[in-house]
């Protein structure tokens, strides 16, 4: 038989390579690609400005004050020597001897302590009686505040405070902490309700109560001149000076204070006056 050579008729397989896949730009980039060049510059400038704003707002501005306070860098108000604190059961058990001997703010001792006493018509702060006694035993000027409830009448709340808080000579006047407007009352009815509490309590203790609230609430709901006869305790955090333009006696300037004898944070306050003025504000024998 003739010698025959068998040759393969199949062609060698070609390696097929897939095209290079490029990552698709995100929506924001695609949006910029379809914008005119000038608009891109404007958009970029807006983004940079936004970054600067948020950086200032959260680290340098008002909330920056909050962050710095939480990490121990509190800007204490300048020009005030009479310092105090306000407390409740949230501070737990206070080591009063340590607080009395070692607590200092700008090298000044703590002079006054205001504590939560009552809320609404059913709540007495669980640490009130102990705190009230020990503050007196360690020679602090003491005060007691009532937290306003939007669910009870002014008369019932005033009587509840009177029943549970027995102020003595040398104590600060009673304090009304009002931070929320009763929703079912008009602004005028709400003002009358607050005045009712103040009037009942004043007649019992024979001294004008102190009003505690934040300055925007005071301006919006308690701005009537009739409230200016009461000592005002302003709550205004994360600022280096009081922005309220009216008269005031106390300023609660941070809720992030740290002091020996107290575990965790505590509100810090200053009194707008001398120690003599503070004593003069207290309840005195008739």
């Amino acid at each position: 038989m003739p010698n025959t050579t068998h040759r393969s008729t199949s062609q060698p397989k070609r390696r097929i390579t897939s095209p290079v896949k490029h990552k698709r730009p995100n929506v924001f980039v695609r949006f910029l690609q379809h914008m005119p060049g000038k608009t891109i510059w404007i958009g970029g400038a807006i983004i940079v400005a936004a970054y600067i704003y948020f950086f200032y707002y959260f680290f340098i501005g008002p909330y920056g004050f909050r962050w710095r306070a939480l990490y121990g860098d509190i800007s204490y108000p300048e020009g005030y020597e009479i310092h105090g604190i306000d407390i409740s059961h949230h501070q737990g058990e206070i080591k009063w001897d340590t607080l009395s001997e070692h607590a200092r703010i700008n090298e000044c001792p703590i002079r006054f302590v205001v504590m939560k006493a009552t809320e609404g018509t059913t709540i007495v702060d669980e640490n009130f009686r102990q705190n009230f006694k020990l503050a007196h035993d360690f020679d602090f000027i003491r005060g007691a505040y009532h937290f306003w409830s939007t669910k009870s009448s002014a008369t019932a709340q005033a009587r509840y405070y009177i029943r549970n808080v027995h102020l003595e000579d040398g104590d600060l006047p009673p304090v009304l902490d009002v931070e929320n407007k009763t929703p079912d009352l008009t602004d005028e009815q709400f003002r009358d309700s607050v005045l009712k509490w103040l009037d009942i309590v004043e007649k019992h203790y024979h001294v004008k109560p102190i009003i505690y609230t934040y300055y925007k609430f005071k301006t919006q709901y308690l701005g009537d001149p009739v409230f200016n006869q009461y000592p005002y305790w302003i709550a205004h955090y994360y600022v280096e000076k009081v922005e309220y333009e009216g008269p005031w006696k106390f300023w609660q300037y941070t809720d992030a204070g740290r002091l020996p004898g107290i575990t965790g944070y505590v509100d810090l306050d200053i009194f707008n006056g001398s120690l003599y003025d503070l004593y003069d504000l207290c309840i005195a024998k008739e």
Side-chain angles (χ1 to χ4, degrees), residues 55-274:
F55 179 83
Y56 174 83
Y57 190 78
F58 287 103
F59 295 98
I60 300 175
Y63 277 91
F65 184 91
R66 165 66 170 169
W67 285 110
R68 295 195 301 273
L70 288 175
Y71 288 97
D73 184 16
I74 297 176
S75 296
Y76 299 107
E78 296 294 333
Y80 303 98
E81 297 181 353
I82 310 303
H83 296 263
I85 59 175
D86 58 279
I87 59 174
S88 69
H89 66 277
H90 292 294
Q91 276 64 52
E93 186 172 345
I94 295 173
K95 296 179 180 178
W96 288 92
D97 54 346
T98 302
L99 183 71
S100 177
E101 294 178 12
H102 301 292
R104 295 291 185 274
I105 299 176
N106 279 354
E107 304 302 323
C108 298
I110 302 299
R111 297 289 190 180
F112 62 91
V113 180
V114 184
M115 59 209 72
K116 182 177 181 180
T118 54
E119 178 177 343
T121 58
T122 59
I123 298 174
V124 175
D125 187 89
E126 60 192 71
N127 288 3
F128 168 62
R129 303 194 192 286
Q130 179 181 13
N131 285 337
F132 198 62
K133 178 183 182 303
L134 291 174
H136 180 270
D137 291 346
F138 283 90
D139 295 323
F140 291 105
I141 298 173
R142 63 183 182 176
Y145 72 85
H146 173 81
F147 189 84
W148 178 269
S149 171
T150 60
K151 300 179 181 179
S152 307
S153 71
T155 299
Q157 292 188 62
R159 289 174 178 169
Y160 189 71
Y161 178 86
I162 291 169
R163 188 162 63 250
N164 287 282
V165 180
H166 305 290
L167 299 175
E168 301 176 358
D169 295 334
D171 291 337
L172 287 169
V175 180
L176 176 61
D177 178 344
V178 54
E179 305 176 35
N180 297 288
K181 174 185 172 294
T182 308
D184 58 342
L185 300 179
T186 65
D187 290 359
E188 183 177 358
Q189 290 171 332
F190 174 66
R191 288 193 292 269
D192 290 342
S193 184
V194 173
L195 285 170
K196 184 69 173 178
W197 190 98
L198 296 169
D199 183 60
I200 293 173
V201 170
E202 179 179 352
K203 287 179 179 177
H204 178 81
Y205 296 100
H206 306 289
V207 63
K208 288 194 175 300
I210 298 168
I211 299 175
Y212 166 96
T213 192
Y214 53 96
Y215 86 109
K216 289 186 178 179
F217 190 92
K218 171 78 162 63
T219 302
Q220 184 173 0
Y221 297 112
L222 307 177
D224 191 286
V226 69
F227 291 104
N228 292 336
Q229 63 182 302
Y230 300 96
Y232 177 33
W233 180 5
I234 181 173
H236 197 183
Y237 304 159
Y238 325 137
V239 293
E240 295 182 353
K241 64 179 181 179
V242 173
E243 295 180 7
Y244 178 72
E245 296 180 355
W248 56 273
K249 288 293 185 181
F250 298 89
W251 174 20
Q252 184 187 79
Y253 59 91
T254 183
D255 59 350
R258 301 299 296 264
L259 291 173
I262 297 178
T263 302
Y265 299 113
V266 64
D267 299 336
L268 301 183
D269 309 89
I270 56 95
F271 174 70
N272 189 16
S274 66

Side-chain angles (χ1 to χ4, degrees), residues 40-55:
I40 293 177
W41 281 103
I42 295 174
I46 293 174
I47 294 172
V48 171
Y51 273 112
I52 293 174
Y53 171 80
F54 284 110
F55 179 83

